[in-house]
Amino acid sequence: GAVVSQHPSWVICKSGTSVKIECRSLDFQATTMFWYRQFPKQSLMLMATSNEGSKATYEQGVEKDKFLINHASLTLSTLTVTSAHPEDSSFYICSAQPTTDTQYFGPGTRLTVL
Amino acid sequence: SQQGEEDPQALSIQEGENATMNCSYKTSINNLQWYRQNSGRGLVHLILIRSNEREKHSGRLRVTLDTSKKSSSLLITASRAADTASYFCATDGSGGYNKLIFGAGTRLAVHP
């Protein structure tokens, strides 16, 4: 149980385009989902906290107009990277939290912006 | 900003040896968790230890927590090549959403 999926697993796009990444909790409902970013050989940096039915809470330094988050249901959150640029290339990981303390992580999405 | 530091940054051992990784953090916590990440993959939850606990075991894993020193350690006994991965500690931040703040991680390589 407690499986979280992400789609796509990898994506390559041209500079200036927008990319949407989906995060789904497959066998549980998640009131709260989190989005992280990870650069090669570095740790995860929290970008934003997403709550179903309300606006996401962004961490300091994260542009909310650049990284649009929608938590449409208790099993789905989406992250849209708008007008992507090469510096947005990274590994994006989501996590979902049921009622327990534990967060369950998705497999990640590798974004490469050319 | 990251909550804490982990050491060592990289650890290379032989199969059968024990691996110890340390994590320090800066602020008060409710709990501390350890995660494993294989290269280019998502995170797998290993163990959670609460602030009122001092030690916890799960299979070949042993976690200790010293809140007075704001530090934790993860011990993997009788390591296997399949344990090769990066290991991260994560502490919960302030606020009501259990935000996790990750340490820098330790890259463990277990050689057959």
Side-chain angles (χ1 to χ4, degrees):
Chain A
V3 177
V4 176
S5 69
Q6 277 185 244
H7 178 79
S9 56
W10 59 270
V11 56
I12 301 173
C13 69
K14 292 182 178 180
S15 186
T17 61
S18 295
V19 175
K20 180 185 283 188
I21 302 170
E22 292 186 349
C23 176
R24 293 181 184 273
S25 56
L26 299 184
D27 50 4
F28 65 96
Q29 292 185 332
T31 306
T32 305
M33 290 185 172
F34 302 85
W35 286 96
Y36 297 84
R37 182 174 183 176
Q38 185 181 31
F39 291 107
K41 296 187 178 181
Q42 293 190 25
S43 188
L44 280 74
M45 299 295 291
L46 179 65
M47 298 176 64
T49 302
S50 167
N51 291 288
E52 187 266 339
S54 63
K55 291 183 179 180
T57 302
Y58 290 82
E59 294 300 300
Q60 190 173 8
V62 177
E63 300 177 58
K64 61 180 181 181
D65 294 330
K66 174 89 176 154
F67 299 100
L68 300 180
I69 291 173
N70 185 292
H71 196 151
S73 74
L74 288 172
T75 59
L76 173 63
S77 177
T78 60
L79 168 67
T80 301
V81 183
T82 62
S83 187
H85 291 282
E87 57 266 30
D88 298 324
S89 297
S90 189
F91 194 54
Y92 292 88
I93 304 177
C94 73
S95 71
Q97 182 176 300
T99 57
T100 62
D101 295 321
T102 303
Q103 290 183 27
Y104 297 94
F105 285 79
T109 296
R110 184 160 304 283
L111 169 64
T112 302
V113 185
L114 303 176
Chain B
S1 62
Q2 290 182 199
Q3 166 76 294
E5 301 293 326
E6 289 183 60
D7 76 273
Q9 292 186 350
L11 181 61
S12 181
I13 60 176
Q14 297 295 126
E15 263 192 330
E17 295 180 342
N18 295 341
T20 300
M21 290 159 267
N22 303 296
C23 164
S24 62
Y25 55 92
K26 297 177 182 175
T27 62
S28 298
I29 62 171
N30 293 317
N31 60 61
L32 184 144
Q33 304 182 58
W34 284 91
Y35 288 85
R36 166 197 169 121
Q37 184 182 36
N38 285 61
S39 180
R41 307 290 293 275
L43 272 70
V44 174
H45 181 260
L46 296 177
I47 199 164
L48 178 152
I49 186 166
R50 301 190 185 281
S51 60
N52 61 353
E53 297 176 309
R54 292 296 168 261
E55 187 171 314
K56 205 162 183 179
H57 297 256
S58 177
R60 292 185 295 115
L61 306 180
R62 173 178 166 252
V63 169
T64 62
L65 178 64
D66 187 335
T67 52
S68 67
K69 296 181 180 178
K70 291 187 169 59
S71 68
S72 174
S73 68
L74 170 67
L75 168 67
I76 303 175
T77 60
S79 64
R80 305 166 182 167
D83 294 329
T84 296
S86 290
Y87 292 83
F88 296 93
C89 69
T91 54
D92 61 334
S94 59
Y97 299 126
N98 292 322
K99 298 195 307 185
L100 291 182
I101 308 298
F102 283 83
T106 294
R107 293 190 303 279
L108 172 66
V110 182
H111 302 284

